[in-house]
Amino acid sequence: MAGESRLNDFFDEAKKVAEFLLESISKERNILVISHMDADGISAAGIMGKALFNAGAKFCIRIERWMDEKVLDEACLHGEDTLLIFTDMGSGYLDILGAKVGDRRIVILDHHQPIGNSKESFLQVNPHLFGIDGSREISSAGIAYLVAKFLDGKNINLAYLAVVGALGDLQDKFDDRRLGGVNELIVKDAVESGFLSVETDLLFFGRETRPIHKALAYTANPYIPGISGEEDKSLAFLSELNIELKRNDRWRALRDLSQDEKRRLFSALHDYLVSRGFRSEVAMRLLGAVYVLVKEEPWTPLRDAREFALLLNATGRMEVPGLGVAICMGDRSEAYEEALKTLDEYRQTITKYLRWLDENSNRIEEWDSIYVLHGEKDIDERAISTISTILSTNLPKPNKPLIAYSFIPREKILKISARTTDSLAKMGLNLGEIIRVAAEKCSGVGGGHDIAAGAQIPYERKIEFLKNVNLLVKKQIERLKKNEGGSQNNISI
């Protein structure tokens, strides 16, 4: 984590935004919150929404798939009397924002690497500006929570949503798949508020809610070939281990298994994955810290924070993000029931694409310095981010980033989703900067984190873009090796 003084400076900036919001609320200004469509963005929007509601503010929330000039044009249609708050977006488009909003006072709560120059009128809370790693130590939901806590100490009861956002952004990269850095402080708040407990267990999807064979079949991170998405084969796998599947005519869930049964199951899955050519550390992703939301109803997807995050991500990717925001703000009736249906549809969609890739492995092409997943029109752009995240943990050579893309015909652009390993990022590889430079050279926009990034580029520039990324990765890795792991942020072709 950053030094104590830098951390205090970061907190002070969040406090400054909270004071500005209180002033704006007292003047009865309208507030427009614009956030990203993934789990972190929806969590951040939900936190801000709940905090603003508690403060008696007049506000509305919009969720967008990405920031572009159209989004900003629509935002600016709201007069200057409306305060614009950007969560989980904004820092990567500072120059575009400056050109669109002029000297208008806006708020940016974002954890992505800043790109461009921030105007003095911008109130920007971004961990990177204070030496804090925004890809691992705090997400945008966490930043929104800090602001909410400074608005009113009672908002400590929103800390659990920041935990959900961080897990949705895959920030559980510390030992035993725990949250660390500033997130660790937020976890303490969530535990102190009585909303969260932390345990160690197998990390199966549906560990609270589903029969064990279904929970195993629904587990996709890591993706287990021949088991993920295959309920009958999961059932057979468990039966061969002599794990009792039913008791008193009721299917057993993961929570019902004894410690011995869990140990045998984990050992068998580890050996199975290794036998299929996976690295041992891939199997270790099945075990780690479990974040239990103790005030949610038992046996529901909201009980496990990672499942909660997946539910939010599903609502965003399936273009019904309002359901996710409503759930974050407390709806457990109609919005929740609709979101459950959306989650099932989304899970089936992801499983369908993973099976398709199993049958069309030639769509994953190895280049000199990267892997390329040619999604084209066969993988919907709403799913490409999730697919790239899952595949990036299962590549034959983990020292090469994965660049996945999907074609959006109506807009004639490529949606790019890039992922690399934690080890390469720690070595100094900055994938967000590489994607930004390559996209700009192809009349596109891009950026993100050192470990994960995205872009949108014209379809006709596809090969040029991929070649640029391949060359940039090669050059940066060569420099890093030459500098014995020193970071390198200035990139050129």
Side-chain angles (χ1 to χ4, degrees):
M1 194 190 297
E4 186 175 343
S5 62
R6 301 301 300 276
L7 190 60
N8 288 335
D9 290 342
F10 178 56
F11 290 160
D12 285 345
E13 199 65 23
K15 185 177 181 181
K16 186 189 300 183
V17 167
E19 291 170 348
F20 175 66
L21 289 180
L22 287 172
E23 180 186 341
S24 298
I25 293 167
S26 70
K27 294 178 180 177
E28 298 188 347
R29 291 186 68 186
N30 292 319
I31 298 174
L32 173 61
V33 179
I34 303 174
S35 197
H36 188 230
M37 62 182 272
D38 66 4
D40 184 35
I42 292 174
S43 297
I47 290 169
M48 289 308 303
K50 192 70 175 175
L52 292 171
F53 177 81
N54 292 342
K58 297 185 293 184
F59 70 96
C60 61
I61 295 172
R62 280 180 51 191
I63 304 296
E64 300 287 352
R65 57 179 176 166
W66 56 58
M67 178 176 281
D68 57 20
E69 293 195 5
K70 179 183 176 183
V71 169
L72 293 177
D73 285 340
E74 291 176 355
C76 289
L77 290 176
H78 297 261
E80 293 204 11
D81 288 341
T82 297
L83 172 62
L84 302 180
I85 301 177
F86 295 93
T87 58
D88 202 32
M89 56 169 55
S91 290
Y93 302 87
L94 293 172
D95 290 338
I96 297 174
L97 267 171
K100 288 290 181 181
V101 305
D103 293 324
R104 183 172 178 169
R105 194 79 156 161
I106 66 171
V107 173
I108 301 171
L109 310 178
D110 195 2
H111 71 135
H112 296 92
Q113 295 175 114
I115 298 173
N117 298 306
S118 180
K119 290 201 165 190
E120 289 186 10
S121 56
F122 292 1
L123 280 172
Q124 181 181 197
V125 187
N126 188 304
H128 291 282
L129 300 176
F130 301 90
I132 300 169
D133 188 345
S135 66
R136 296 170 184 80
E137 296 189 38
I138 186 169
S139 71
S140 291
I143 300 167
Y145 166 68
L146 294 178
V147 172
K149 188 179 177 183
F150 283 120
L151 270 175
D152 187 337
K154 293 179 182 178
N155 287 330
I156 190 175
N157 62 7
L158 300 176
Y160 79 96
L161 284 174
V163 172
V164 170
L167 291 171
D169 230 47
L170 305 179
Q171 295 198 344
D172 51 343
K173 297 183 183 304
F174 292 75
D175 290 345
D176 299 323
R177 286 191 66 182
R178 291 180 179 272
L179 296 171
V182 186
N183 282 326
E184 189 174 4
L185 303 178
I186 297 172
V187 167
K188 288 180 181 177
D189 277 0
V191 171
E192 181 184 328
S193 67
F195 280 74
L196 182 75
S197 70
V198 186
E199 306 167 3
T200 299
D201 204 347
L202 287 166
L203 302 176
F204 286 2
F205 177 82
R207 63 180 298 276
E208 284 273 343
T209 57
R210 309 228 179 227
I212 183 62
H213 67 285
K214 290 191 175 185
L216 177 57
Y218 292 167
T219 297
N221 188 12
Y223 180 69
I224 310 171
I227 293 179
S228 294
E230 306 282 353
E231 287 187 24
D232 55 341
K233 293 179 181 177
S234 296
L235 197 64
F237 187 86
L238 293 163
S239 297
E240 289 177 6
L241 295 174
N242 294 320
I243 289 177
E244 187 179 3
L245 299 174
K246 276 188 174 183
R247 185 168 290 174
N248 299 326
D249 292 325
R250 182 179 70 82
W251 289 106
R252 300 174 77 205
L254 181 61
R255 65 179 184 272
D256 300 316
L257 269 58
S258 68
Q259 290 301 313
D260 176 66
E261 287 174 313
K262 290 178 181 178
R263 278 193 292 270
R264 285 193 284 122
L265 177 53
F266 173 72
S267 178
L269 287 169
H270 176 278
D271 293 346
Y272 176 85
L273 282 165
V274 170
S275 73
R276 296 290 295 264
F278 291 89
R279 307 181 307 279
S280 180
E281 53 264 34
V282 171
M284 295 304 296
R285 292 180 59 82
L286 290 167
L287 188 67
V290 175
Y291 295 87
V292 182
L293 304 177
V294 296
K295 292 201 175 185
E296 297 293 345
E297 285 294 323
W299 334 129
T300 71
L302 301 185
R303 183 81 171 183
D304 182 283
R306 286 186 178 87
E307 289 187 49
F308 196 137
L310 184 61
L311 181 72
L312 297 183
N313 195 50
T315 65
R317 301 298 175 186
M318 301 303 285
E319 299 182 343
V320 284
L323 297 177
V325 174
I327 289 168
C328 288
M329 294 186 67
D331 191 311
R332 296 295 182 271
S333 55
E334 290 184 17
Y336 175 58
E337 293 301 322
E338 287 300 313
L340 289 179
K341 297 175 186 175
T342 301
L343 175 60
D344 279 340
E345 183 183 349
Y346 181 67
R347 178 185 53 75
Q348 292 167 14
T349 298
I350 296 301
T351 300
K352 177 189 71 175
Y353 287 134
L354 291 173
R355 284 179 183 165
W356 179 81
L357 283 169
D358 251 356
E359 297 166 359
N360 296 272
S361 57
N362 61 323
R363 286 299 189 94
I364 302 175
E365 186 180 9
E366 183 178 2
W367 288 25
D368 290 342
S369 302
I370 60 174
Y371 284 97
V372 178
L373 167 57
H374 300 278
E376 294 291 345
K377 289 187 289 186
D378 298 295
I379 298 180
D380 192 283
E381 57 98 1
R382 297 174 297 175
I384 196 67
S385 176
T386 301
I387 295 297
S388 65
T389 297
I390 294 171
L391 291 181
S392 66
T393 64
N394 299 326
L395 295 171
K397 296 178 183 177
N399 60 334
K400 291 185 178 184
L402 172 68
I403 314 300
Y405 71 82
S406 178
F407 176 42
I408 308 175
R410 64 183 178 275
E411 298 175 41
K412 297 181 180 178
I413 64 172
L414 288 185
K415 165 72 179 296
I416 308 294
S417 181
R419 301 288 184 270
T420 191
T421 62
D422 204 38
S423 58
L424 273 179
K426 286 179 178 178
M427 175 182 168
L429 185 75
N430 191 332
L431 195 56
E433 182 70 0
I434 286 171
I435 294 298
R436 179 189 70 82
V437 171
E440 288 179 355
K441 285 183 173 291
C442 296
S443 303
V445 293
H449 304 294
D450 56 359
I451 196 168
Q456 301 89 48
I457 63 166
Y459 181 75
E460 64 270 14
R461 309 289 291 272
K462 174 180 69 177
I463 297 301
E464 179 187 353
F465 170 81
L466 292 172
K467 286 182 176 179
N468 283 344
V469 173
N470 187 55
L471 183 57
L472 288 169
V473 170
K474 180 180 180 181
K475 284 185 173 182
Q476 195 171 131
I477 289 178
E478 286 175 350
R479 286 196 197 101
L480 291 169
K481 288 180 177 177
K482 187 180 295 184
N483 295 335
E484 297 182 341
S487 63
Q488 176 68 39
N489 290 321
N490 297 320
I491 305 172
S492 61
I493 296 182

